[in-house]
Amino acid sequence: MACVVVLSLMRTLELEFLQPLPRPILQQKELIPCNKDLVLSLHNKLGFLMELFDENRMDGVEAIKDLETKLRDLAFRIEDEIELQVVHLYEEEEEEMPQGEKSTHHCQRLHQILHPLRGKSHPCLKFRRILHRAVQDIDAITRELAKAKEEYQLSKHHLQAGIKQPASLHVLPITMPDSSHHASRSKEIMVGKQDEFEIIKKMLIRHPSKQLEIVSIKGMGGIGKTTLARKIYEDSSITSYFDKQSWVVASQHHNKRQMLFGLLGSKHNNADNSGNEDLALQFYQSLKCQRYLIVMDDVWSEGAWDAIKTCFPDDGNGSRVLLTTRLAEVANHTCSKDDFSHQMQFLEQSESWKLFNEKACESRGAEFETIGRPVVEKCKGLPLAIIVVAGLFSKLNTLDEWKNTANALSSSSATTLDDEECLKILSLSYNHLPHNLKACFLYLGVFPEDHEINANNLARLWYAEGLVNAFENENFDRVANRYMQELMDRNLIILGELCSRGRKIKSFRMHDLLHAFSVREAQNENLLHVVHSENNSYFPQKSFRWVSIQYADFNMSTIQHKSCRSFFSFFGEKSFSNFRNTNLRRVLFYDTPVWIKNIVDIVHLRFLRVGNDIELSQGQEFLKSRCKESIKLSRSWNLQTLHSYQKVIYRLDEGRKYLEFPQLHYISCADYFCGNPPKFVHKLDGIRAEDCSEEYVTNIPCLKKVRIECKGNESNAYVANLAYLEQLEGLWISMLLPGTHSINNDIVLLKNLRKLAFNGMRFESGRINILSKLPRLEVLKLLWTTFKEWEIQEEVKFWQLIALVILHCDLKHWKASSHNFPKLEHLCLTYCFELRKIPTDFGEISTLKSIELSRCLPSAVESAKKIQDEQRDYGNYDMIVIEENTLHVSGSVKSPSEEEPEVDN
């Protein structure tokens, strides 16, 4: 699909030509004013064209697929040409005479543009030719798309009217869903779904509500929604309870008329001559005064439900409508309430094997089971995947055939994707995504299978690739998190962990089947090349944008493709990696702290995560540096994210000025940040308290989240200076030296602080309570802290606190009431091995959702369960207690290794 490259090209145009502080070399050569009209035209036309493709998702229309491929290749070419021209500007600058000997007179500059030297075009004309040709090519594709749409609509009209399609239309036939498909199939085996079967039955016939209720079954494609609905539909207790039943498939491209035909059935012979309103009335009247069950299978949009929802009368007799959908938004839109919505679950391992066994090898011997079980494990509980694999193995008769096929599946990342049926279902989910989500979904293929994907890292990577952008009233990380939520709502990713407040995704993973699909699609689109072993470490001649190295001994210097934009290295074990540098590199991501060699200033770099020190400066002989210990950057004007496992250094240039780096929003260093931070930075992980002077902090007015390292009480003066950071929302304070540290009263000046974490502090008695004066504090983390007692007086209130996390603390006596934490939702206690009980009054906190205990005393766990019982007495049945590794009173306690999460988690 063209979505990835078009979004990337649009972002490149914005960064190079349209941002408030564009690249200095473009400004010096006056290349932006003379090309801005063409840039804006091209940018607008690209956005409009992608919207047209979104609006005209025409499955099976080869002309549309061909146009998308054509657009993809065109965007590839345009972006390459633009970025290479920027690189050439720097190369030419090095070859030019000293600045003092060059004429800068405006008339002379204009003369050079209009009358360039023989054989050498002025850069302005080069850019203008590239942009002008690009606009013409985009216009041509737009015209072709309009023509294809017209032919598609004509073909659709002919099909619905029963007219033979003209041979001149190069459009594949459009098929409507068969609303009776459920009746024609043989009965399917339903394994591991009995509990879910009973849950849905309870909603349908045992729930006390007598009004019409809308029940939804939601889950990813292939998880068994339709199978479960069909078994319920045909169950004898259901058929005897309802007076009338009907089944219809809404499908991806819902058609109201076809749905009404399906609901009315074959008994209404005059339906062909009736309009939609007449059909709707006929159906309404057929249900009137009847207790009915209507199944709407495979609902893809809210519009499909809205089109016919008025056809269902409510006579107060317990009628029900049952929908199946892949989309959480559809379930939320249609369901009466949460009581009538069910999320499908993956099969457990024993259930998975039972399903496979019944489908493929019921009469096989034990040796077949030994081969089959590892195959079933790769299906990760997805019924569709298990059934597809079982269908394959059922055709194999000998033990050798089983062994060979199992080995082939084990060595392939594609698992069951070779089967057309499985691929078709996954393709449906993918093709239904808007172009921005398609691009973001494909990008997930760069991560290894079963990889836990950190949401913050992914947001910055998407941003660096141009796949998400900041809106006027919403920054890029919120946009990215919304995209992740939409992917989760569509059951394309699986939630791993939520952030402390429970509002945002912290991490997630992908089902192997969907991961393999994203890899396959990205590879087919010339976007991704994955290296799993030495056997596939060679690089094909065709161009691609992303390289994912999942092989520890891979030699980075072998990568020569100039069009490759992004490199990812996972499972690296070497301390150094030899990297062949090119100036089109955009992302360089090492998942482990690896030092890279032979890398110099990269013109188009946006995201850098390495083990080296990183220097941002432009000192003498800077460009000739080949220092192995540090990476020095000055040309990377569009840097956005820097992550060093050592330190980041920001130096003055010869003119005693700092480089701007207007896009540099996030800096993280495991050691510390040295220098005065760039003024545009939003998140800074690792500065020293001794550096936080008033001048220092006022130079970074946009800072929202920061981690500060302190050595003792003498550094507490920095807190008052932090009050100058009016946008500061997150603060992590880490003490490097042991001792007793008082909390500075000036901390209450941080009026916008939402998240606060203390690491390694020994608090004075009662000093924690001063934090209640932070008016917007929502998350408080006390990590590796020492305070034996915490008594909170009745008048002390943490008004906005949602999450309280206490890790590895010697807290023994805790006296508090529900009044102290009126909005608390999540309490997490880890390695609190002296705390005997949680304050009993927490049972009266109406907002409480969870208490999580790890490596705590049994008495503390018991007190949490008593709180849960009290919550249930008040009607809060959603509050849960999560316990793991509860301590034995007589056992010894071992301390875990210290971990410092990111400041913005």
Side-chain angles (χ1 to χ4, degrees), residues 818-867:
S818 60
H819 300 292
N820 302 131
F821 303 100
K823 292 186 178 181
L824 189 67
E825 296 181 7
H826 307 285
L827 173 63
C828 181
L829 305 172
T830 303
Y831 272 88
C832 295
F833 36 75
E834 292 193 31
L835 182 65
R836 298 200 170 274
K837 71 172 186 175
I838 301 169
T840 308
D841 280 1
F842 279 24
E844 300 176 6
I845 300 177
S846 60
T847 56
L848 198 61
K849 294 180 179 179
S850 68
I851 299 178
E852 185 174 350
L853 306 100
S854 178
R855 304 291 289 179
C856 293
L857 294 173
S859 59
V861 175
E862 183 181 352
S863 69
K865 292 182 177 179
K866 287 181 179 179
I867 291 171

Side-chain angles (χ1 to χ4, degrees), residues 339-357:
D339 291 351
F340 293 95
S341 181
H342 177 69
Q343 175 74 49
M344 292 283 287
Q345 303 298 309
F346 293 107
L347 296 178
E348 296 178 355
Q349 191 56 41
S350 60
E351 298 167 342
S352 297
W353 174 248
K354 182 179 180 182
L355 177 60
F356 178 87
N357 190 53

Side-chain angles (χ1 to χ4, degrees), residues 595-700:
W595 280 254
I596 57 177
K597 300 184 295 183
N598 297 332
I599 183 172
V600 295
D601 205 12
I602 303 178
V603 171
H604 293 294
L605 189 66
R606 299 181 192 173
F607 185 109
L608 181 62
R609 175 172 170 156
V610 291
N612 309 58
D613 288 346
I614 301 172
E615 294 188 39
L616 304 173
S617 62
Q618 193 169 351
Q620 194 172 12
E621 298 182 354
F622 169 67
L623 297 178
K624 297 180 180 179
S625 171
R626 295 293 187 274
C627 180
K628 293 181 179 179
E629 288 74 23
S630 65
I631 298 172
K632 300 183 180 182
L633 305 172
S634 69
R635 292 173 167 180
S636 307
W637 184 254
N638 293 323
L639 269 173
Q640 298 169 358
T641 296
L642 286 183
H643 187 126
S644 169
Y645 291 97
Q646 296 299 306
K647 58 179 175 287
V648 176
I649 305 162
Y650 194 36
R651 300 187 188 278
L652 295 167
D653 62 16
E654 292 99 329
R656 305 295 297 169
K657 292 182 180 180
Y658 288 103
L659 293 174
E660 291 283 359
F661 297 106
Q663 298 297 321
L664 186 51
H665 292 165
Y666 177 79
I667 300 175
S668 175
C669 33
D671 197 343
Y672 64 91
F673 184 90
C674 181
N676 211 354
K679 64 182 179 182
F680 298 102
V681 68
H682 290 174
K683 301 173 185 178
L684 183 53
D685 188 5
I687 61 175
R688 298 173 295 191
E690 61 201 64
D691 291 333
C692 294
S693 64
E694 178 182 342
E695 180 184 1
Y696 187 95
V697 298
T698 53
N699 189 59
I700 42 177

Side-chain angles (χ1 to χ4, degrees), residues 560-621:
Q560 299 182 18
H561 285 274
K562 291 185 177 181
S563 61
C564 296
R565 294 304 201 281
S566 304
F567 291 94
F568 304 83
S569 178
F570 301 90
F571 315 122
E573 297 178 358
K574 293 193 264 186
S575 59
F576 276 95
S577 177
N578 194 9
F579 183 78
R580 180 186 289 271
N581 183 65
T582 77
N583 271 311
L584 290 184
R585 299 294 181 254
R586 179 175 297 174
V587 170
L588 187 55
F589 178 98
Y590 280 84
D591 196 47
T592 54
V594 176
W595 280 254
I596 57 177
K597 300 184 295 183
N598 297 332
I599 183 172
V600 295
D601 205 12
I602 303 178
V603 171
H604 293 294
L605 189 66
R606 299 181 192 173
F607 185 109
L608 181 62
R609 175 172 170 156
V610 291
N612 309 58
D613 288 346
I614 301 172
E615 294 188 39
L616 304 173
S617 62
Q618 193 169 351
Q620 194 172 12
E621 298 182 354

